mmCIF file of all heavy atoms in Angstrom:
data_model
loop_
_atom_site.group_PDB
_atom_site.id
_atom_site.type_symbol
_atom_site.label_atom_id
_atom_site.label_comp_id
_atom_site.label_asym_id
_atom_site.label_seq_id
_atom_site.Cartn_x
_atom_site.Cartn_y
_atom_site.Cartn_z
ATOM 1 N N GLY A 17 95.952 92.380 104.538
ATOM 2 C CA GLY A 17 96.654 91.487 103.624
ATOM 3 C C GLY A 17 97.143 92.106 102.325
ATOM 4 O O GLY A 17 97.677 91.397 101.475
ATOM 5 N N PHE A 18 96.989 93.429 102.141
ATOM 6 C CA PHE A 18 97.452 94.001 100.878
ATOM 7 C C PHE A 18 98.953 93.812 100.701
ATOM 8 O O PHE A 18 99.446 93.663 99.580
ATOM 9 C CB PHE A 18 97.061 95.476 100.725
ATOM 10 C CG PHE A 18 97.961 96.449 101.446
ATOM 11 C CD1 PHE A 18 99.106 96.945 100.836
ATOM 12 C CD2 PHE A 18 97.658 96.874 102.729
ATOM 13 C CE1 PHE A 18 99.937 97.837 101.500
ATOM 14 C CE2 PHE A 18 98.475 97.764 103.399
ATOM 15 C CZ PHE A 18 99.619 98.253 102.790
ATOM 16 N N GLU A 19 99.692 93.777 101.808
ATOM 17 C CA GLU A 19 101.134 93.603 101.724
ATOM 18 C C GLU A 19 101.489 92.256 101.093
ATOM 19 O O GLU A 19 102.392 92.171 100.261
ATOM 20 C CB GLU A 19 101.782 93.700 103.109
ATOM 21 C CG GLU A 19 101.581 95.034 103.800
ATOM 22 C CD GLU A 19 100.466 95.026 104.835
ATOM 23 O OE1 GLU A 19 99.435 94.340 104.611
ATOM 24 O OE2 GLU A 19 100.601 95.708 105.857
ATOM 25 N N LYS A 20 100.788 91.208 101.477
ATOM 26 C CA LYS A 20 101.039 89.879 100.919
ATOM 27 C C LYS A 20 100.664 89.850 99.440
ATOM 28 O O LYS A 20 101.360 89.228 98.632
ATOM 29 C CB LYS A 20 100.261 88.809 101.703
ATOM 30 C CG LYS A 20 100.685 87.408 101.357
ATOM 31 C CD LYS A 20 102.132 87.156 101.763
ATOM 32 C CE LYS A 20 102.548 85.727 101.488
ATOM 33 N NZ LYS A 20 103.984 85.543 101.686
ATOM 34 N N MET A 21 99.575 90.532 99.080
ATOM 35 C CA MET A 21 99.185 90.609 97.671
ATOM 36 C C MET A 21 100.271 91.286 96.845
ATOM 37 O O MET A 21 100.604 90.825 95.753
ATOM 38 C CB MET A 21 97.859 91.357 97.525
ATOM 39 C CG MET A 21 96.659 90.614 98.076
ATOM 40 S SD MET A 21 95.138 91.592 97.991
ATOM 41 C CE MET A 21 94.975 91.831 96.232
ATOM 42 N N GLU A 22 100.834 92.370 97.362
ATOM 43 C CA GLU A 22 101.898 93.066 96.647
ATOM 44 C C GLU A 22 103.142 92.198 96.522
ATOM 45 O O GLU A 22 103.804 92.188 95.487
ATOM 46 C CB GLU A 22 102.233 94.389 97.330
ATOM 47 C CG GLU A 22 101.194 95.452 97.106
ATOM 48 C CD GLU A 22 101.673 96.840 97.469
ATOM 49 O OE1 GLU A 22 102.578 96.984 98.316
ATOM 50 O OE2 GLU A 22 101.126 97.793 96.885
ATOM 51 N N GLU A 23 103.457 91.450 97.582
ATOM 52 C CA GLU A 23 104.624 90.568 97.547
ATOM 53 C C GLU A 23 104.442 89.448 96.521
ATOM 54 O O GLU A 23 105.353 89.159 95.737
ATOM 55 C CB GLU A 23 104.852 89.973 98.944
ATOM 56 C CG GLU A 23 106.104 89.144 99.037
ATOM 57 C CD GLU A 23 106.363 88.652 100.460
ATOM 58 O OE1 GLU A 23 105.926 89.285 101.423
ATOM 59 O OE2 GLU A 23 107.034 87.609 100.573
ATOM 60 N N ILE A 24 103.287 88.829 96.508
ATOM 61 C CA ILE A 24 103.003 87.761 95.535
ATOM 62 C C ILE A 24 103.052 88.318 94.119
ATOM 63 O O ILE A 24 103.617 87.696 93.212
ATOM 64 C CB ILE A 24 101.640 87.102 95.834
ATOM 65 C CG1 ILE A 24 101.723 86.295 97.126
ATOM 66 C CG2 ILE A 24 101.164 86.235 94.668
ATOM 67 C CD1 ILE A 24 100.376 85.850 97.676
ATOM 68 N N SER A 25 102.480 89.498 93.923
ATOM 69 C CA SER A 25 102.489 90.127 92.602
ATOM 70 C C SER A 25 103.917 90.364 92.124
ATOM 71 O O SER A 25 104.258 90.077 90.966
ATOM 72 C CB SER A 25 101.724 91.452 92.645
ATOM 73 O OG SER A 25 100.372 91.239 92.961
ATOM 74 N N ALA A 26 104.764 90.885 93.013
ATOM 75 C CA ALA A 26 106.163 91.148 92.652
ATOM 76 C C ALA A 26 106.900 89.847 92.352
ATOM 77 O O ALA A 26 107.699 89.779 91.404
ATOM 78 C CB ALA A 26 106.860 91.911 93.771
ATOM 79 N N LEU A 27 106.644 88.827 93.134
ATOM 80 C CA LEU A 27 107.288 87.532 92.903
ATOM 81 C C LEU A 27 106.885 86.959 91.547
ATOM 82 O O LEU A 27 107.732 86.490 90.784
ATOM 83 C CB LEU A 27 106.937 86.557 94.021
ATOM 84 C CG LEU A 27 107.543 85.162 93.918
ATOM 85 C CD1 LEU A 27 109.056 85.209 93.865
ATOM 86 C CD2 LEU A 27 107.093 84.309 95.095
ATOM 87 N N ASN A 28 105.614 87.016 91.219
ATOM 88 C CA ASN A 28 105.142 86.530 89.921
ATOM 89 C C ASN A 28 105.808 87.294 88.783
ATOM 90 O O ASN A 28 106.258 86.706 87.796
ATOM 91 C CB ASN A 28 103.619 86.666 89.814
ATOM 92 C CG ASN A 28 102.872 85.698 90.698
ATOM 93 O OD1 ASN A 28 103.402 84.668 91.109
ATOM 94 N ND2 ASN A 28 101.625 86.022 91.008
ATOM 95 N N PHE A 29 105.861 88.617 88.919
ATOM 96 C CA PHE A 29 106.452 89.446 87.871
ATOM 97 C C PHE A 29 107.939 89.155 87.718
ATOM 98 O O PHE A 29 108.435 88.992 86.599
ATOM 99 C CB PHE A 29 106.230 90.931 88.185
ATOM 100 C CG PHE A 29 106.563 91.839 87.046
ATOM 101 C CD1 PHE A 29 105.627 92.109 86.065
ATOM 102 C CD2 PHE A 29 107.814 92.431 86.957
ATOM 103 C CE1 PHE A 29 105.932 92.950 85.005
ATOM 104 C CE2 PHE A 29 108.131 93.263 85.903
ATOM 105 C CZ PHE A 29 107.190 93.535 84.927
ATOM 106 N N ALA A 30 108.650 89.088 88.835
ATOM 107 C CA ALA A 30 110.094 88.836 88.792
ATOM 108 C C ALA A 30 110.403 87.483 88.165
ATOM 109 O O ALA A 30 111.315 87.366 87.344
ATOM 110 C CB ALA A 30 110.679 88.918 90.200
ATOM 111 N N ALA A 31 109.648 86.461 88.541
ATOM 112 C CA ALA A 31 109.886 85.120 87.984
ATOM 113 C C ALA A 31 109.630 85.099 86.485
ATOM 114 O O ALA A 31 110.412 84.518 85.723
ATOM 115 C CB ALA A 31 109.001 84.101 88.699
ATOM 116 N N SER A 32 108.565 85.757 86.040
ATOM 117 C CA SER A 32 108.270 85.794 84.600
ATOM 118 C C SER A 32 109.307 86.611 83.849
ATOM 119 O O SER A 32 109.704 86.244 82.740
ATOM 120 C CB SER A 32 106.870 86.363 84.353
ATOM 121 O OG SER A 32 105.885 85.447 84.753
ATOM 122 N N ALA A 33 109.749 87.726 84.449
ATOM 123 C CA ALA A 33 110.773 88.556 83.798
ATOM 124 C C ALA A 33 112.075 87.778 83.645
ATOM 125 O O ALA A 33 112.728 87.831 82.599
ATOM 126 C CB ALA A 33 111.001 89.833 84.597
ATOM 127 N N SER A 34 112.438 87.035 84.675
ATOM 128 C CA SER A 34 113.651 86.224 84.624
ATOM 129 C C SER A 34 113.532 85.134 83.565
ATOM 130 O O SER A 34 114.440 84.950 82.747
ATOM 131 C CB SER A 34 113.913 85.614 85.997
ATOM 132 O OG SER A 34 115.101 84.876 85.985
ATOM 133 N N ALA A 35 112.416 84.419 83.569
ATOM 134 C CA ALA A 35 112.204 83.343 82.587
ATOM 135 C C ALA A 35 112.186 83.877 81.161
ATOM 136 O O ALA A 35 112.626 83.200 80.237
ATOM 137 C CB ALA A 35 110.904 82.608 82.897
ATOM 138 N N ALA A 36 111.700 85.095 80.974
ATOM 139 C CA ALA A 36 111.614 85.684 79.639
ATOM 140 C C ALA A 36 112.953 86.250 79.169
ATOM 141 O O ALA A 36 113.090 86.629 78.003
ATOM 142 C CB ALA A 36 110.563 86.792 79.626
ATOM 143 N N GLY A 37 113.927 86.346 80.067
ATOM 144 C CA GLY A 37 115.218 86.918 79.693
ATOM 145 C C GLY A 37 115.200 88.432 79.629
ATOM 146 O O GLY A 37 116.048 89.038 78.975
ATOM 147 N N CYS A 38 114.256 89.048 80.319
ATOM 148 C CA CYS A 38 114.189 90.506 80.375
ATOM 149 C C CYS A 38 115.490 91.029 80.983
ATOM 150 O O CYS A 38 115.967 90.499 81.984
ATOM 151 C CB CYS A 38 112.977 90.926 81.213
ATOM 152 S SG CYS A 38 112.778 92.705 81.377
ATOM 153 N N GLY A 39 116.058 92.055 80.387
ATOM 154 C CA GLY A 39 117.359 92.541 80.818
ATOM 155 C C GLY A 39 117.362 93.360 82.093
ATOM 156 O O GLY A 39 118.351 93.381 82.821
ATOM 157 N N ARG A 40 116.263 94.048 82.397
ATOM 158 C CA ARG A 40 116.229 94.927 83.569
ATOM 159 C C ARG A 40 114.793 95.237 83.933
ATOM 160 O O ARG A 40 113.952 95.383 83.062
ATOM 161 C CB ARG A 40 116.966 96.238 83.296
ATOM 162 C CG ARG A 40 116.844 97.242 84.432
ATOM 163 C CD ARG A 40 117.935 98.276 84.441
ATOM 164 N NE ARG A 40 119.277 97.723 84.408
ATOM 165 C CZ ARG A 40 119.977 97.318 85.469
ATOM 166 N NH1 ARG A 40 119.442 97.367 86.669
ATOM 167 N NH2 ARG A 40 121.205 96.862 85.340
ATOM 168 N N VAL A 41 114.557 95.368 85.228
ATOM 169 C CA VAL A 41 113.272 95.847 85.741
ATOM 170 C C VAL A 41 113.518 97.202 86.387
ATOM 171 O O VAL A 41 114.475 97.365 87.151
ATOM 172 C CB VAL A 41 112.662 94.864 86.769
ATOM 173 C CG1 VAL A 41 111.443 95.471 87.456
ATOM 174 C CG2 VAL A 41 112.287 93.553 86.094
ATOM 175 N N ILE A 42 112.686 98.160 86.054
ATOM 176 C CA ILE A 42 112.747 99.487 86.657
ATOM 177 C C ILE A 42 111.527 99.605 87.548
ATOM 178 O O ILE A 42 110.393 99.475 87.082
ATOM 179 C CB ILE A 42 112.771 100.610 85.602
ATOM 180 C CG1 ILE A 42 113.996 100.465 84.692
ATOM 181 C CG2 ILE A 42 112.795 101.977 86.270
ATOM 182 C CD1 ILE A 42 113.731 99.806 83.400
ATOM 183 N N TYR A 43 111.766 99.835 88.828
ATOM 184 C CA TYR A 43 110.692 99.826 89.823
ATOM 185 C C TYR A 43 110.577 101.177 90.498
ATOM 186 O O TYR A 43 111.576 101.749 90.947
ATOM 187 C CB TYR A 43 110.979 98.742 90.868
ATOM 188 C CG TYR A 43 110.090 98.795 92.078
ATOM 189 C CD1 TYR A 43 108.704 98.731 91.959
ATOM 190 C CD2 TYR A 43 110.626 98.932 93.355
ATOM 191 C CE1 TYR A 43 107.887 98.792 93.072
ATOM 192 C CE2 TYR A 43 109.822 98.984 94.473
ATOM 193 C CZ TYR A 43 108.446 98.920 94.326
ATOM 194 O OH TYR A 43 107.633 98.976 95.425
ATOM 195 N N LEU A 44 109.366 101.682 90.582
ATOM 196 C CA LEU A 44 109.102 102.926 91.292
ATOM 197 C C LEU A 44 108.567 102.584 92.669
ATOM 198 O O LEU A 44 107.422 102.164 92.819
ATOM 199 C CB LEU A 44 108.091 103.779 90.521
ATOM 200 C CG LEU A 44 107.756 105.128 91.144
ATOM 201 C CD1 LEU A 44 108.999 105.999 91.275
ATOM 202 C CD2 LEU A 44 106.699 105.830 90.315
ATOM 203 N N GLY A 45 109.418 102.721 93.669
ATOM 204 C CA GLY A 45 109.052 102.403 95.044
ATOM 205 C C GLY A 45 108.723 103.656 95.825
ATOM 206 O O GLY A 45 108.314 104.672 95.268
ATOM 207 N N GLY A 46 108.933 103.592 97.133
ATOM 208 C CA GLY A 46 108.604 104.708 98.013
ATOM 209 C C GLY A 46 109.778 105.095 98.890
ATOM 210 O O GLY A 46 110.673 104.294 99.150
ATOM 211 N N LEU A 47 109.752 106.328 99.357
ATOM 212 C CA LEU A 47 110.828 106.862 100.201
ATOM 213 C C LEU A 47 110.949 106.137 101.528
ATOM 214 O O LEU A 47 110.056 105.391 101.923
ATOM 215 C CB LEU A 47 110.566 108.347 100.485
ATOM 216 C CG LEU A 47 110.779 109.320 99.343
ATOM 217 C CD1 LEU A 47 110.469 110.735 99.819
ATOM 218 C CD2 LEU A 47 112.190 109.253 98.806
ATOM 219 N N GLY A 48 112.040 106.399 102.205
ATOM 220 C CA GLY A 48 112.261 105.868 103.541
ATOM 221 C C GLY A 48 113.475 104.956 103.582
ATOM 222 O O GLY A 48 113.869 104.389 102.573
ATOM 223 N N LYS A 49 114.044 104.858 104.762
ATOM 224 C CA LYS A 49 115.177 103.966 104.985
ATOM 225 C C LYS A 49 114.649 102.677 105.587
ATOM 226 O O LYS A 49 113.763 102.696 106.450
ATOM 227 C CB LYS A 49 116.192 104.621 105.922
ATOM 228 C CG LYS A 49 116.824 105.864 105.337
ATOM 229 C CD LYS A 49 117.794 106.477 106.311
ATOM 230 C CE LYS A 49 118.388 107.745 105.711
ATOM 231 N NZ LYS A 49 119.261 108.421 106.683
ATOM 232 N N ASP A 50 115.219 101.578 105.179
ATOM 233 C CA ASP A 50 114.750 100.273 105.649
ATOM 234 C C ASP A 50 114.810 100.133 107.167
ATOM 235 O O ASP A 50 113.996 99.432 107.750
ATOM 236 C CB ASP A 50 115.545 99.149 104.984
ATOM 237 C CG ASP A 50 115.244 99.039 103.499
ATOM 238 O OD1 ASP A 50 114.116 99.370 103.096
ATOM 239 O OD2 ASP A 50 116.139 98.632 102.740
ATOM 240 N N GLU A 51 115.755 100.799 107.799
ATOM 241 C CA GLU A 51 115.888 100.661 109.251
ATOM 242 C C GLU A 51 114.932 101.575 110.025
ATOM 243 O O GLU A 51 114.859 101.511 111.242
ATOM 244 C CB GLU A 51 117.338 100.895 109.692
ATOM 245 C CG GLU A 51 117.895 102.250 109.331
ATOM 246 C CD GLU A 51 118.481 102.333 107.921
ATOM 247 O OE1 GLU A 51 118.459 101.333 107.176
ATOM 248 O OE2 GLU A 51 118.965 103.394 107.566
ATOM 249 N N GLU A 52 114.187 102.423 109.338
ATOM 250 C CA GLU A 52 113.220 103.303 109.987
ATOM 251 C C GLU A 52 111.879 102.588 110.151
ATOM 252 O O GLU A 52 111.602 101.602 109.480
ATOM 253 C CB GLU A 52 113.006 104.564 109.148
ATOM 254 C CG GLU A 52 114.207 105.455 109.041
ATOM 255 C CD GLU A 52 113.968 106.661 108.140
ATOM 256 O OE1 GLU A 52 112.978 106.682 107.387
ATOM 257 O OE2 GLU A 52 114.800 107.568 108.202
ATOM 258 N N VAL A 53 111.065 103.130 111.045
ATOM 259 C CA VAL A 53 109.692 102.650 111.155
ATOM 260 C C VAL A 53 108.908 103.303 110.024
ATOM 261 O O VAL A 53 108.841 104.534 109.929
ATOM 262 C CB VAL A 53 109.080 103.023 112.523
ATOM 263 C CG1 VAL A 53 107.625 102.606 112.578
ATOM 264 C CG2 VAL A 53 109.871 102.380 113.650
ATOM 265 N N LEU A 54 108.365 102.484 109.143
ATOM 266 C CA LEU A 54 107.658 102.978 107.963
ATOM 267 C C LEU A 54 106.178 102.666 108.062
ATOM 268 O O LEU A 54 105.771 101.729 108.755
ATOM 269 C CB LEU A 54 108.219 102.317 106.696
ATOM 270 C CG LEU A 54 109.709 102.529 106.414
ATOM 271 C CD1 LEU A 54 110.162 101.645 105.269
ATOM 272 C CD2 LEU A 54 109.985 103.986 106.099
ATOM 273 N N SER A 55 105.370 103.414 107.342
ATOM 274 C CA SER A 55 103.954 103.094 107.240
ATOM 275 C C SER A 55 103.806 101.735 106.567
ATOM 276 O O SER A 55 104.748 101.235 105.931
ATOM 277 C CB SER A 55 103.219 104.157 106.419
ATOM 278 O OG SER A 55 103.591 104.051 105.050
#
């Protein structure tokens, strides 16, 4: 379930950033193409 925890965390952050009028979010993600099989 860590994936769901990460998704909920991102949703909470995005909603608060939007409500606060934050101008931009800079996110450090991971390599890979969406169409590939990823870990």
